[in-house]
Amino acid sequence: MCKSDFFEFRRFSLYFHKLFVERLRMNLMRFFLLLGLLFIVIFWMGSTTYVKYLDGDSWQTTDPIWSVEAAFAAFLFFVGGCYSASLMWIDLGRKPERIFVLTTPVTTFESWLTRWLLYVPGYMIVFLLSFYAVDALRVCVFSAISPVSCHIGLLPLCGNGGFMNMEIIRAYLVFTSFFVLGGSFFPRRPLLSTAIALFVIGLLGGCSTASFIVFAADMDFSSKIMNAYLWLLPLLCWALSYWRYWEMEIIDRL
């Protein structure tokens, strides 16, 4: 392999398949844990909510479970996403695995991109598939066995009653990017160490942001700056995590 190469699709696809297969067993275990948690909580919500509408006189045009289910889905989406992002560098915590990773014949960018795809957008896809599989099962089961006087349907993904919009996606990218960056600095305890660092940074950053908003002359202008900053922040964190990984590889090689 030429060390000056930056990205080659064939080499990248082979490494992606290799890492996917190597981590398939643990990722399947996490997937079934997620599926089980979703099943237990969503069906518990359904059993406690729909009982109030058994043989009722009034007809509800919207599913009464949607508001609580949307809040739970958003919470699990964020928490699970942060946990998934913290696993991106989990194999750098021990020296033998670290040496194996850093000597794999792929470029730094290909290795970084593979991990990012598996644990950041990958979790988003897996979560949505898992959530709507369980939610579809809820609709089928409760529609068949419960003659309730309300509408029972799938939770909308976007729009009224949904839990996914541009603000949620932006917040997901911001929070998970912190854990991607933190994992590159704290590979042994990425979740806990990054959470503590994020808490401290959040206190300092929150005070600075509040002061900026209070003393800003043009509130609309400050809001635009903040929105642009929040979109650029994930890119900055990803770039720093890539730089950290690249620096780590060079240090180990020397």
Side-chain angles (χ1 to χ4, degrees):
M1 182 191 73
C2 179
K3 293 297 183 180
S4 63
D5 287 346
F6 181 71
F7 180 82
E8 184 184 35
F9 182 77
R10 182 177 180 276
R11 186 173 57 225
F12 162 74
S13 61
L14 290 174
Y15 183 67
F16 184 93
H17 178 266
K18 174 181 178 295
L19 196 65
F20 179 83
V21 172
E22 287 177 353
R23 301 191 178 187
L24 181 59
R25 184 175 179 181
M26 290 302 300
N27 287 337
L28 280 176
M29 186 181 301
R30 297 184 185 107
F31 166 72
F32 285 116
L33 286 174
L34 173 64
L35 207 61
L37 178 61
L38 286 168
F39 180 84
I40 292 171
V41 175
I42 289 177
F43 272 74
W44 174 78
M45 288 179 183
S47 62
T48 56
T49 301
Y50 295 136
V51 69
K52 303 174 184 178
Y53 296 89
L54 288 173
D55 301 324
D57 296 329
S58 60
W59 177 266
Q60 299 291 323
T61 57
T62 60
D63 196 322
I65 201 178
W66 280 355
S67 58
V68 180
E69 190 181 28
F72 168 71
F75 172 78
L76 190 59
F77 180 64
F78 278 105
V79 173
C82 292
Y83 172 71
S84 177
S86 71
L87 298 174
M88 187 167 162
W89 308 113
I90 196 65
D91 53 355
L92 297 180
R94 293 188 298 176
K95 186 176 180 180
E97 294 179 346
R98 183 177 178 181
I99 293 175
F100 176 76
V101 170
L102 297 177
T103 55
T104 302
V106 292
T107 64
T108 307
F109 178 73
E110 290 164 352
S111 180
W112 182 91
L113 182 60
T114 296
R115 296 161 186 273
W116 182 84
L117 288 173
L118 283 174
Y119 288 101
V120 179
Y123 172 79
M124 182 185 296
I125 295 171
V126 169
F127 176 83
L128 291 176
L129 292 176
S130 304
F131 177 81
Y132 278 101
V134 175
D135 204 38
L137 185 61
R138 169 189 66 86
V139 172
C140 294
V141 170
F142 285 102
S143 297
I145 67 175
S146 300
V148 297
S149 57
C150 64
H151 170 74
I152 298 180
L154 288 173
L155 177 71
L157 179 61
C158 307
N160 294 331
F163 70 96
M164 189 69 68
N165 51 44
M166 292 304 295
E167 286 73 21
I168 293 293
I169 294 175
R170 182 178 63 186
Y172 173 82
L173 295 178
V174 168
F175 278 96
T176 56
S177 68
F178 280 123
F179 283 86
V180 168
L181 177 59
S184 65
F185 283 93
F186 315 111
R188 292 190 176 181
R189 297 179 180 86
L191 187 64
L192 178 62
S193 300
T194 306
I196 294 173
L198 188 58
F199 176 75
V200 175
I201 295 173
L203 289 178
L204 299 176
C207 295
S208 302
T209 302
S211 301
F212 171 77
I213 292 176
V214 168
F215 293 104
D218 189 343
M219 295 300 294
D220 184 61
F221 179 68
S222 64
S223 177
K224 291 179 180 178
I225 292 179
M226 184 57 63
N227 288 332
Y229 170 74
L230 290 176
W231 280 114
L232 291 175
L233 186 58
L235 298 177
L236 176 62
C237 290
W238 295 335
L240 288 175
S241 71
Y242 168 72
W243 172 80
R244 168 65 179 165
Y245 186 41
W246 176 80
E247 182 187 51
M248 187 186 306
E249 186 176 39
I250 287 183
I251 291 173
D252 277 47
R253 191 187 304 135
L254 294 176

